[in-house]
Amino acid sequence: MMLLFERYQTLAAIGTSINQSIGRSVAWLTLAMVVLMAGIVIIRGLLNANSVAAQELVTYLHATVIMLASAYTLAEQGHVRVDIFYRRCSRKYQAWVDLVGNIAFLLPFALVTALVSWGFVTSAWAIQETSADAGGLPAVFLLKSLLVVNGALLALQAIADSFRQLATLGQLELEGAVTDSPEAQQHD
């Protein structure tokens, strides 16, 4: 039985590790976004020049960070949580709340996001969609692809967290069984 819980922990660690790696990688795009935006403002102020492509690139970078780092935020427990009652509850209760939340809400949301976006993305790829603005970036289809990737990464994290909660529940049950056993009571 313990081997099963260790496998759950391993699977959870793999999924979380993938999202952590992606999140840490795209976090650097925020620096690029700030530098690019500062450059746009300086060039506009000094030279009275404007670049639609540069402005769209800031938007693309922002969207990329949001779409690829949302699962990372979830993995790091950085998401918004109303925990007025949750934080006072036992680990077992918290694990059940998280498990049910992942399976009943997050996983379906992530899968629906990916599935509903699929047609939108394939259409964009089919026509190699570009910016509607003159001088804009030619890769709108790549940006739209992030919708499916976001759904997949959130689903991966929901599954990883569900495995983690199952392992926690299993370990708590084993600990409870050990402390309830006649051998443990003799030592008390």
Side-chain angles (χ1 to χ4, degrees):
M1 191 62 123
M2 192 62 156
L3 182 61
L4 179 64
F5 302 134
E6 289 173 5
R7 285 194 180 144
Y8 286 164
Q9 288 287 24
T10 301
L11 291 171
I14 291 168
T16 299
S17 177
I18 291 168
N19 280 319
Q20 286 173 330
S21 296
I22 291 170
R24 287 186 191 112
S25 297
V26 300
W28 288 99
L29 295 179
T30 57
L31 177 60
M33 206 172 20
V34 168
V35 169
L36 182 61
M37 195 68 218
I40 290 169
V41 170
I42 291 168
I43 290 171
R44 186 180 296 155
L46 294 177
L47 304 175
N48 200 24
N50 190 21
S51 169
V52 173
Q55 289 176 354
E56 282 188 1
L57 184 56
V58 171
T59 303
Y60 277 45
L61 291 171
H62 189 235
T64 301
V65 169
I66 290 171
M67 291 286 129
L68 297 181
S70 60
Y72 166 72
T73 302
L74 185 62
E76 295 294 317
Q77 299 295 308
H79 57 288
V80 175
R81 178 187 300 237
V82 180
D83 67 349
I84 296 168
F85 303 109
Y86 178 89
R87 65 182 162 180
R88 295 184 185 150
C89 295
S90 68
R91 281 182 54 207
K92 184 176 181 178
Y93 179 83
Q94 290 176 349
W96 273 112
V97 167
D98 290 343
L99 180 62
V100 170
N102 284 327
I103 293 171
F105 300 108
L106 180 57
L107 189 57
F109 170 79
L111 294 174
V112 167
T113 298
L115 293 174
V116 169
S117 302
W118 186 255
F120 184 61
V121 171
T122 56
S123 295
W125 273 85
I127 62 170
Q128 297 288 293
E129 187 175 356
T130 62
S131 176
D133 295 321
L137 296 175
V140 172
F141 61 97
L142 292 174
L143 184 64
K144 288 184 177 182
S145 299
L146 293 176
L147 292 167
V148 174
V149 174
N150 174 262
L153 292 175
L154 283 173
L156 175 65
Q157 193 58 48
I159 293 166
D161 285 347
S162 294
F163 278 128
R164 184 171 292 104
Q165 301 315 322
L166 286 171
T168 298
L169 289 168
Q171 289 169 343
L172 290 173
E173 285 297 318
L174 283 177
E175 289 171 8
V178 169
T179 57
D180 293 342
S181 71
E183 295 84 18
Q185 291 174 1
Q186 286 177 350
H187 293 298
D188 290 340

